[in-house]
Amino acid sequence: MSKTSGSPPVVVTLAEIARLAGVGRAAVSNWRRRYDSFPSPVGGTDTSPQFSLPQVEEWLRRENKLKTALNPLDRLWPEYESLGDRETTGLLVARVGLRQSGVETAGPAGGPRLDQRQTRLLERTLELAQPDEEAKTFELLLDRWLRTHVRQITTTPVQLAELMVQAAAMNHPGPVRSVLDPACGTGTLLIAAGRRWDAGRATRLRFLGQDSDPVLVELAKARLSVDGFAERDLSNVSLAAGDTLRGDAHLGTQADVILSNPPSNERDWGHAELATDPRWVYGQPPRTEPELAWVQHAAAALAPGGVAVLVLPPAVAARRAGRRIRAGLLRSGVLRTVIALPPGVAPPYGVGLHLWILHADGVPGRGGADGRELTFVDTTHATRPVSVDSVGVDWSAVTEQVVGVLGGTSMLGSVSVPVVDLLDDQVDLTPARRVPRTRAATIVDLRRLWTRFDSHMGEVREAADALSALIPADGDETVPLISVGELERAGALEIRTGQGLPESLVRRGERQEDETRVLTGTPLSGQAQLWLPASAVAAGEQDGSLTVTAPQDVIVSVLARAFDVRVESDAPSVLGPQLSALRVNPAVLDPWFLSGCLRAPANVHRAGTHASTTSRIDVRRLHVPRLSLEEQRQYGEVYRKIAVFERELTDMKTVGGELSRALGDLLAAGHLPRD
């Protein structure tokens, strides 16, 4: 492998080895166990080892483990990663796209130029790309870069971008000459706009954008160039790096269409220094309402007749602090439509986001909204049972519903409300509070809920049959007890205490690839979905700053008000500071037996005080009976059934409550059978 003198070695992870060999990661782990000749790690950690790429390639060829010919670009990617930081790698990927498109650029303003090693890697990449697959080369590198840094970069899914463009087009029937995204990221929304309005035009569509991350700006330029939407000199593309709210790079420019998925929940957005900003026509956004700053920025940047479509968190529609600004947007006729999307359409995946559609002042709208009314659309109960994507969103049903409402051909899941009826003390613009549930949606929910209820009932019945057959033993024989502290001193178990978490890296929502679950001190059976990147977990485990579980660990929530015990079945997990993990010696202790005994109410009273809600349980003072391992396993098997019984009862209660509410909706609407 050619590389400059002093360059760091190129290393690969197990996942990269699996990708090179065209197999699953489990197969690579199996090779490590079976073959003594498998290369030894040259870095990383025990849980995330790194291997020398040349050694791995040599071994794969020698053992005939390459199922297909090695893709030169797959082999090149580890060299990109070995460049070091995210910025250097991302800028080089952007340079690949720009060069392939015939665009010469010196890189971001004030940014570093390519060194000899980076230049050599760029030239090798361009040489390897087939003439008819240049776009594919760039897209492969970009996809790898985004997946590597998925925790730090939030992208707008393509399906959501297409829906936003379609909504904008239906509200802007005239010609579109310019599109602006004030928080453009890697340019997904601009690309979607180009596909809608740039194809076959004599005059190229003008793309405007800004982002605080210079690397994302360069990648957006490269994407527009590779997709054929940019002139060779980028004369129709004006993308700038910088803080849009504090320093608008397109000040005074007005756009026909604005599409944006702006950052949310940012407190340091310039509240104090922008107090007299002329964009705040409807009131200065409170410090806790940065999203309303982006809304007013978009409204100020619209050309006459322009339309803006923004992705916003649902809280923006109802937070008390923003009610005056919401009222101003309604009175002026700027805000015309609020669309509630189902959870899973975009990060954070556990939240149902909203789309706000804005019109320039005084311009008639479509879809039932003329400035005197606000149209609400609720797509969270899409009813078409068609195929869904990886996060469970029925995009075809959502799109069909939105297009039908905006086009005036359907009112399914929507309602138009006079503005005067919305101007109360709350100015709550949440669609779910305005749109009545449809009979069809409720029936679909009922079928789904009855299926879940029947499943839980079957599990409860099976566990109940097994547990009801148990007969307590006769006699008053007292079983000797032993404390957890004594078991620890005897080496039967090890206590690992949870630690503080790197809050800036913890992510909420659906799990993404290569993430590890985080557990906090809340009841273990109802944990929120929190995740940490695997790289941070590996580093924290290596330096001792994080506590990571293993299979069959007994996890204890030590807060008295939330005491709970569970056997770990989804390892690895990262434990927060109110949790402990008991790692047993399986030759001495059965984890299920230990877990069942620790949960006994008498144990809890013995081990801790309840003087306040912050009281903690002293795990070492908990006791378990002294039994042989064989007896422990018998008791442990019983506790497994108890745990299933308890879990299924809880789930059945939850589903039963949802069923009751769904039946109540049908009853209130007069849709239950009259006979």
Side-chain angles (χ1 to χ4, degrees):
M1 176 192 320
S2 67
K3 60 185 183 208
T4 60
S5 177
S7 298
V10 179
V11 296
V12 287
T13 63
L14 291 174
E16 287 291 343
I17 297 173
R19 190 175 291 116
L20 289 172
V23 298
R25 181 169 172 172
V28 179
S29 298
N30 188 40
W31 293 343
R32 287 189 69 196
R33 290 191 298 269
R34 289 178 53 200
Y35 295 94
D36 294 336
S37 59
F38 194 89
S40 300
V42 296
T45 66
D46 290 341
T47 55
S48 183
Q50 295 176 335
F51 304 84
S52 165
L53 176 60
Q55 293 178 14
V56 167
E57 287 184 320
E58 180 184 352
W59 186 88
L60 290 173
R61 290 193 178 94
R62 186 172 66 246
E63 299 294 335
N64 196 27
K65 295 298 184 183
L66 292 173
K67 291 188 175 181
T68 58
L70 192 61
N71 186 331
L73 291 175
D74 281 337
R75 187 196 178 285
L76 273 183
W77 178 248
E79 295 194 50
Y80 276 82
E81 286 196 316
S82 70
L83 294 176
D85 57 71
R86 176 182 76 93
E87 289 74 17
T88 301
T89 307
L91 289 174
L92 186 57
V93 171
R95 195 68 61 87
V96 170
L98 292 169
R99 283 281 299 276
Q100 286 181 336
S101 306
V103 176
E104 291 291 344
T105 175
R113 293 184 175 274
L114 299 183
D115 61 23
Q116 185 180 12
R117 181 184 179 208
Q118 294 162 8
T119 302
R120 198 172 299 176
L121 183 54
L122 171 62
E123 298 299 336
R124 289 173 58 205
T125 304
L126 296 174
E127 290 171 4
L128 287 171
Q130 299 296 325
D132 57 341
E133 295 186 347
E134 292 177 339
K136 185 177 179 181
T137 299
F138 168 71
E139 289 167 2
L140 183 149
L141 293 172
L142 176 62
D143 178 66
R144 290 286 180 85
W145 186 81
L146 288 172
R147 279 193 284 142
T148 301
H149 305 289
V150 67
R151 273 77 59 180
Q152 295 115 14
I153 300 169
T154 299
T155 58
T156 303
V158 173
Q159 301 97 322
L160 177 57
E162 292 172 348
L163 175 63
M164 293 171 66
V165 167
Q166 193 160 3
M170 298 187 73
N171 282 274
H172 193 292
V176 175
R177 294 172 291 272
S178 59
V179 177
L180 167 66
D181 184 350
C184 66
T186 59
T188 301
L189 290 169
L190 295 176
I191 295 291
R195 290 171 181 157
R196 178 81 189 202
W197 289 298
D198 190 70
R201 290 169 53 107
T203 304
R204 301 306 298 265
L205 182 67
R206 190 176 178 209
F207 297 93
L208 310 171
Q210 188 168 350
D211 198 276
S212 58
D213 189 333
V215 180
L216 301 188
V217 171
E218 292 302 303
L219 287 167
K221 290 179 184 177
R223 292 185 69 191
L224 287 168
S225 301
V226 169
D227 281 20
F229 300 130
E231 298 287 359
R232 286 285 183 101
D233 58 357
L234 297 179
S235 56
N236 67 322
V237 175
S238 177
L239 303 186
D243 187 323
T244 300
L245 294 181
R246 287 187 171 94
D248 185 6
H250 303 99
L251 187 64
T253 301
Q254 293 187 311
D256 295 325
V257 170
I258 297 176
L259 305 167
S260 191
N261 183 1
S264 59
N265 298 320
E266 290 190 345
R267 295 296 180 259
D268 183 23
W269 58 271
H271 170 261
E273 60 202 87
L274 298 174
T276 59
D277 196 289
R279 290 172 292 183
W280 312 152
V281 174
Y282 310 104
Q284 183 189 6
R287 185 181 63 85
T288 57
E289 294 282 349
E291 297 86 1
L292 290 177
W294 288 99
V295 170
Q296 293 193 80
H297 172 85
L302 280 175
V307 172
V309 183
L310 280 72
V311 182
L312 298 171
V316 180
R319 280 195 295 242
R320 187 171 180 81
R323 66 189 187 282
R324 185 163 64 93
I325 296 175
R326 294 195 296 271
L329 291 167
L330 291 175
R331 289 191 184 97
S332 67
V334 169
L335 179 59
R336 302 293 178 84
T337 309
V338 177
I339 302 171
L341 300 172
V345 299
Y349 291 105
V351 176
L353 300 172
H354 288 180
L355 292 181
W356 283 23
I357 301 180
L358 313 177
H359 288 245
D361 263 341
V363 177
R366 297 186 63 183
D370 61 1
R372 293 170 297 179
E373 291 183 333
L374 181 68
T375 297
F376 294 97
V377 185
D378 188 355
T379 70
T380 58
H381 297 283
T383 58
R384 281 182 60 189
V386 298
S387 60
V388 295
D389 65 8
S390 59
V391 292
V393 177
D394 185 351
W395 281 105
S396 61
V398 170
T399 302
E400 181 179 336
Q401 182 179 347
V402 171
V403 169
V405 174
L406 296 181
T409 62
S410 170
M411 288 300 291
L412 176 66
S414 71
V415 65
S416 291
V417 180
V419 166
V420 67
D421 293 345
L422 299 171
L423 298 176
D424 54 19
D425 290 341
Q426 301 298 321
V427 195
D428 190 337
L429 306 183
T430 305
R433 299 182 185 277
R434 307 288 177 177
V435 180
R437 289 285 305 278
T438 66
R439 176 176 177 271
T442 306
I443 290 175
V444 169
D445 283 348
L446 277 176
R447 292 171 180 163
R448 173 178 53 83
L449 290 169
W450 277 120
T451 299
R452 288 173 55 195
F453 187 83
D454 290 342
S455 174
H456 293 311
M457 174 128 0
E459 294 287 347
V460 167
R461 171 56 60 191
E462 184 177 343
D465 288 344
L467 294 173
S468 62
L470 298 175
I471 301 175
D474 294 328
D476 298 324
E477 181 181 354
T478 301
V479 179
L481 302 176
I482 184 172
S483 71
V484 171
E486 291 175 297
L487 289 170
E488 181 187 26
R489 289 190 292 274
L493 58 81
E494 177 186 354
I495 301 177
R496 302 190 174 200
T497 305
Q499 303 178 68
L501 303 169
E503 295 295 339
S504 61
L505 296 179
V506 175
R507 195 186 63 80
R508 185 182 299 270
E510 295 295 322
R511 182 179 185 179
Q512 302 298 299
E513 183 182 2
D514 206 24
E515 286 187 331
T516 301
R517 183 183 53 171
V518 173
L519 300 178
T520 61
T522 56
L524 295 171
S525 58
Q527 286 275 333
Q529 291 182 307
L530 302 174
W531 313 97
L532 269 176
S535 57
V537 174
E541 187 176 20
Q542 184 179 35
D543 63 24
S545 61
L546 292 179
T547 301
V548 183
T549 65
Q552 301 297 296
D553 279 359
V554 177
I555 304 174
V556 183
S557 176
V558 297
L559 283 179
R561 61 179 170 81
F563 180 77
D564 199 4
V565 184
R566 191 178 72 187
V567 177
E568 174 67 295
S569 57
D570 298 317
S573 301
V574 179
L575 301 187
Q578 285 82 38
L579 299 173
S580 293
L582 310 185
R583 185 160 299 172
V584 304
N585 178 351
V588 180
L589 273 178
D590 179 80
W592 284 96
F593 163 76
L594 178 64
S595 177
C597 294
L598 296 185
R599 292 193 67 189
N603 231 345
V604 178
H605 286 290
R606 180 189 298 117
T609 63
H610 298 269
S612 71
T613 58
T614 59
S615 297
R616 297 170 65 91
I617 299 297
D618 185 349
V619 176
R620 290 176 174 81
R621 294 176 60 189
L622 296 170
H623 286 71
V624 299
R626 289 179 180 268
L627 297 176
S628 68
L629 184 58
E630 184 59 34
E631 291 175 304
Q632 291 179 37
R633 287 171 177 163
Q634 292 176 5
Y635 276 82
E637 189 57 36
V638 172
Y639 180 65
R640 284 177 189 264
K641 293 183 173 63
I642 295 174
V644 170
F645 183 69
E646 182 179 32
R647 182 186 68 241
E648 296 299 330
L649 276 177
T650 301
D651 292 344
M652 192 166 68
K653 179 181 177 181
T654 300
V655 176
E658 294 181 41
L659 268 172
S660 298
R661 287 189 290 274
L663 290 168
D665 287 343
L666 287 174
L667 177 64
H671 290 151
L672 285 177
R674 291 177 173 80
D675 54 354

